[in-house]
Amino acid sequence: MTKQNIKIAITKEDKGYSATARLGGNFIGTQADDFDELKTNVLEAVNLAFEEEEIFYTLNDLTFQYDLESFFSFYRVINAKALAERIGMNQSLLSQYIKGIKKPSKKQTERILRGVRQIGKELTEVNF
């Protein structure tokens, strides 16, 4: 088996976070109280799953995919109200997406992602 990039699904739980992935016949799952611990646990679980194949993974080989609630929980620095205004979305609707009350369509998800990425791009260009 050749080394492949692994997509890790991150989910906010009632307490802490969980991470799951499927690659071939392997199911990988773990949990943690915070994101730093979760990254460590994920890396350990992935490397354990591929130990017999002698394949070693680093964090650069993993792609973390978040649901909106988990993303906004991890990155509290992003103000949902300000993001909603910036992308022209109703603040209440974005809040419902973040809390998992409503599920955004693919189009709405892309709209939110474009807004977050634009903020990230602008931040990388900041000089003091």
Side-chain angles (χ1 to χ4, degrees):
M1 178 176 183
T2 60
K3 186 175 180 178
Q4 299 175 18
N5 187 281
I6 301 176
K7 293 181 182 177
I8 309 289
I10 307 295
T11 305
K12 177 153 179 31
E13 304 293 347
D14 290 337
K15 185 174 182 179
Y17 303 91
S18 65
T20 58
R22 277 197 188 283
L23 187 62
N26 291 313
F27 172 81
I28 301 161
T30 189
Q31 62 185 31
D33 291 330
D34 61 57
F35 189 55
D36 288 331
E37 180 186 3
L38 187 67
K39 287 192 294 187
T40 300
N41 292 353
V42 165
L43 197 54
E44 186 177 299
V46 167
N47 282 315
L48 183 62
F50 293 97
E51 188 174 45
E52 287 184 21
E53 288 91 352
E54 296 182 1
I55 299 173
F56 178 76
Y57 282 87
T58 67
L59 286 176
N60 291 334
D61 301 314
L62 308 177
T63 301
F64 293 98
Q65 295 183 309
Y66 309 91
D67 60 18
L68 285 174
E69 183 180 3
S70 299
F71 175 80
F72 281 93
S73 177
F74 286 142
Y75 299 101
R76 294 180 192 270
V77 68
I78 298 176
N79 181 296
K81 178 181 177 186
L83 177 62
E85 289 174 8
R86 185 176 188 134
I87 64 174
M89 182 178 284
N90 181 289
Q91 177 188 349
S92 176
L93 181 59
L94 180 58
S95 178
Q96 290 176 41
Y97 291 157
I98 292 169
K99 292 177 184 172
I101 296 168
K102 287 188 175 182
K103 182 160 175 55
S105 66
K106 182 175 173 69
K107 183 178 177 182
Q108 290 288 61
T109 300
E110 289 170 358
R111 183 178 177 189
I112 295 164
L113 186 57
R114 271 193 313 273
V116 168
R117 286 184 173 158
Q118 181 60 38
I119 292 168
K121 182 178 183 296
E122 291 171 15
L123 288 173
T124 62
E125 296 170 355
V126 169
N127 291 303
F128 293 107

